[in-house]
Amino acid sequence: MKNSAVHRLRLVSMPEGMSFVLLLVCTVLKYTTSFNAVPVLGPIHGILFIFYVVFALEAWRRQRWSFGRAAWIMALSVIPGGGFYAERLLAREEKQGLAFAS
């Protein structure tokens, strides 16, 4: 089960959510102070977001989720803090054994 599509999505959802929140904070700091970490955090968040999308699409296909479920998981990636909620949902799904081994 540790190699399942849901597990891979779970592994990337928390760092993606954290990078999004940090990027938002750094964007505010960029415009209010002289601190500018956006050029560093932007690409990191971009890479994590791409992994999230790819793993979400893979999980959608392998788990045979409905369109609504897949859309909700994708929507969580663009809501600040949504990655944390997605990780909890996916952990519950994985724990209940709903994640098929891939």
Side-chain angles (χ1 to χ4, degrees):
M1 178 119 14
K2 293 295 182 192
N3 291 328
S4 73
V6 170
H7 186 73
R8 284 188 292 275
L9 180 58
R10 236 185 100 202
L11 287 177
V12 79
S13 65
M14 187 70 71
E16 190 276 335
M18 180 65 73
S19 70
F20 187 31
V21 171
L22 286 174
L23 184 60
L24 291 175
V25 169
C26 286
T27 301
V28 170
L29 291 174
K30 174 183 174 181
Y31 291 109
T32 59
T33 67
S34 61
F35 182 75
N36 185 11
V38 173
V40 174
L41 280 173
I44 292 170
H45 171 68
I47 290 167
L48 289 170
F49 180 76
I50 290 169
F51 278 125
Y52 185 95
V53 169
V54 168
F55 291 157
L57 292 173
E58 178 187 14
W60 179 22
R61 184 178 62 84
R62 290 181 186 241
Q63 296 298 113
R64 297 181 184 97
W65 287 337
S66 67
F67 177 78
R69 170 103 170 130
W72 175 241
I73 294 294
M74 291 301 294
L76 288 173
S77 71
V78 296
I79 299 171
F84 305 117
Y85 185 68
E87 196 278 333
R88 290 179 64 201
L89 285 175
L90 296 167
R92 191 176 318 132
E93 181 174 323
E94 192 174 31
K95 184 177 181 181
Q96 291 175 348
L98 298 176
F100 307 131
S102 49

